[in-house]
Amino acid sequence: KQWYQRRVAITAGRYDVVRRCAEALGYKTTTENDESFIIWSDHTINAERCAELKPYQRINHFPGMGEIARKDCLARNLQKMQKTQSDEYDFFPKTWTLPAD
């Protein structure tokens, strides 16, 4: 295997379990994004950063992920889709979103 396939870049990682798991699987961990096979970040990733990825690199976030990862955003998006395509979007229960403060 190529050398980069055994490296995980952990940037701004709050959870030590990510580093421990990577090392237990034989990966070398680093804080540099350079040539690592896996890039792990606890923050959102912008589109420019994704465009810079090399073909072999994998990342744990993608732009716009918050729109499906947060329950309130997911509910809002599903309700929008249900209004325009009700036959296709009948698979989720009735959902309420509380007003923001």
Side-chain angles (χ1 to χ4, degrees):
K1 291 191 174 198
Q2 300 286 340
W3 65 271
Y4 56 78
Q5 290 181 319
R6 303 306 296 170
R7 289 181 51 171
V8 177
I10 302 174
T11 60
R14 292 178 287 188
Y15 308 107
D16 192 50
V17 68
V18 175
R19 182 193 54 78
R20 287 186 285 134
C21 287
E23 290 173 352
L25 292 169
Y27 287 88
K28 179 183 179 210
T29 59
T30 180
T31 57
E32 301 296 320
N33 283 344
D34 55 3
E35 302 291 326
S36 297
F37 176 59
I38 299 171
I39 299 170
W40 185 278
S41 176
D42 289 343
H43 302 292
T44 58
I45 305 298
N46 62 35
E48 292 80 26
R49 177 66 184 111
C50 283
E52 294 170 355
L53 292 176
K54 297 182 177 51
Y56 60 84
Q57 290 181 310
R58 302 295 180 259
I59 198 161
N60 68 317
H61 287 292
F62 54 87
M65 192 170 117
E67 291 297 311
I68 61 171
R70 289 184 38 193
K71 290 179 187 178
D72 59 333
C73 294
L74 176 61
R76 186 185 70 242
N77 287 320
L78 286 172
Q79 288 168 350
K80 283 181 186 177
M81 294 303 292
Q82 193 174 47
K83 284 180 184 176
T84 61
Q85 300 178 11
S86 58
D87 293 342
E88 297 293 324
Y89 286 85
D90 62 351
F91 58 86
F92 63 98
K94 186 150 183 82
T95 306
W96 291 270
T97 304
L98 298 176
D101 287 338

